[in-house]
Amino acid sequence: MGRILLILFFISFSSGPIRCARDDGDDDRGGFVRSLDPKLLSLKEEKLSHFRIYWHDIVSGNNATSISVVPPSNKSTTGFGTINVIDDPLTLGPELSSKPVGKAQGFYTLSSQEEVGLLMSMNFAFTEGKYNGSTITVLGRNAVFNKVREMPVIGGSGLFRFARGYVQARTHTLNMKTRDAVVEYNCYVLHY
Ligand SMILES: *[C@@H]1O[C@H](CO)[C@@H](O)[C@H](O)[C@H]1NC(C)=O
Ligand SMILES: *[C@@H]1O[C@H](CO)[C@@H](O)[C@H](O)[C@H]1NC(C)=O
Ligand SMILES: *[C@@H]1O[C@H](CO)[C@@H](O)[C@H](O)[C@H]1NC(C)=O
């Protein structure tokens, strides 16, 4: 009954072709979108993975991996306005010489006027084992002087397709002179 009324509505008020007065919820989701059986993408059971890696933000020296591309906009004590582009090594242990697993590529921007608070926007691009070529994307707020900072994992690629989850960052070492930092990242990721 409702459907007939809907069709009548479109006939009486539309002069163009009637395309959307059909049953919703079937495969036609507006003409160019269709539903797909998850099995066709070999999506089986969603699983939870945890890994702990160390993120090396090297801002000093000749081999810096973190480069300030925009300086602070004013003499802010919190560095407000700074943007750093990063290609930071990710390793299994806290030493830079420990086993590399990938790079953290992206940028962070100091976006708090009250504290040293970063917006992190980066991909963990893995190079180790079967995860070589897969990525996860971390986007979140990082108040660097807090003991634990939690940031969302908002997606991924390769073995991390459909990823969602969070990371917890804890500063391992921060050299107050050079500003080089090593941060432990515990990552909790749901993916297929
Ligand atoms: C930078 O890297 C080069 C080549 O790996 C190395 O010889 C040099 O000692 C490094 N410099 C610093 C300051 O770490
Ligand atoms: C920069 O900071 C100073 C001191 O906090 C303030 O007086 C000034 O208005 C600021 N300038 C701009 C352009 O925001
Ligand atoms: C990761 O994959 C790239 C491209 O396929 C390859 O060149 C590289 O050697 C691989 N790295 C490791 C550590 O297996």
Side-chain angles (χ1 to χ4, degrees):
M1 182 63 186
R3 195 173 163 188
I4 292 168
L5 282 178
L6 193 65
I7 291 169
L8 285 174
F9 176 85
F10 274 101
I11 289 172
S12 48
F13 288 99
S14 159
S15 53
I18 301 163
R19 295 206 56 219
C20 43
R22 39 178 300 176
D23 216 2
D24 228 1
D26 65 10
D27 266 1
D28 189 343
R29 297 184 183 169
F32 64 98
V33 180
R34 68 193 173 98
S35 68
L36 198 61
D37 186 343
K39 285 194 202 95
L40 289 172
L41 293 182
S42 308
L43 300 178
K44 288 167 202 132
E45 209 136 289
E46 197 175 34
K47 50 183 178 271
L48 177 64
S49 295
H50 168 250
F51 42 94
R52 186 177 65 182
I53 50 184
Y54 291 85
W55 176 94
H56 301 262
D57 195 48
I58 307 164
V59 295
S60 68
N62 294 333
N63 300 332
T65 61
S66 176
I67 294 166
S68 175
V69 292
V70 178
S73 59
N74 200 358
K75 297 283 172 218
S76 162
T77 53
T78 64
F80 180 64
T82 306
I83 300 176
N84 271 45
V85 173
I86 62 171
D87 186 20
D88 285 348
L90 297 169
T91 59
L92 275 189
E95 292 79 34
L96 186 55
S97 57
S98 69
K99 191 178 178 58
V101 293
K103 295 284 188 69
Q105 298 173 334
F107 64 90
Y108 58 76
T109 167
L110 281 84
S111 48
S112 172
Q113 292 183 285
E114 267 103 50
E115 60 183 332
V116 183
L118 278 56
L119 163 70
M120 310 293 293
S121 172
M122 59 185 174
N123 294 312
F124 287 179
F126 296 103
T127 51
E128 177 53 26
K130 67 173 182 171
Y131 294 99
N132 187 8
S134 296
T135 65
I136 60 169
T137 301
V138 175
L139 181 79
R141 178 171 179 270
N142 183 4
V144 298
F145 291 117
N146 289 356
K147 195 169 189 305
V148 184
R149 293 89 69 185
E150 186 169 312
M151 290 166 266
V153 171
I154 60 166
S157 71
L159 292 179
F160 290 116
R161 281 176 185 166
F162 293 105
R164 58 203 170 97
Y166 63 96
V167 299
Q168 286 181 327
R170 291 173 177 81
T171 302
H172 181 267
T173 48
L174 170 62
N175 186 323
M176 289 307 279
K177 211 180 214 162
T178 61
R179 302 264 160 192
D180 291 350
V182 181
V183 178
E184 177 191 308
Y185 272 79
N186 274 282
C187 309
Y188 301 86
V189 182
L190 281 168
H191 61 106
Y192 288 92

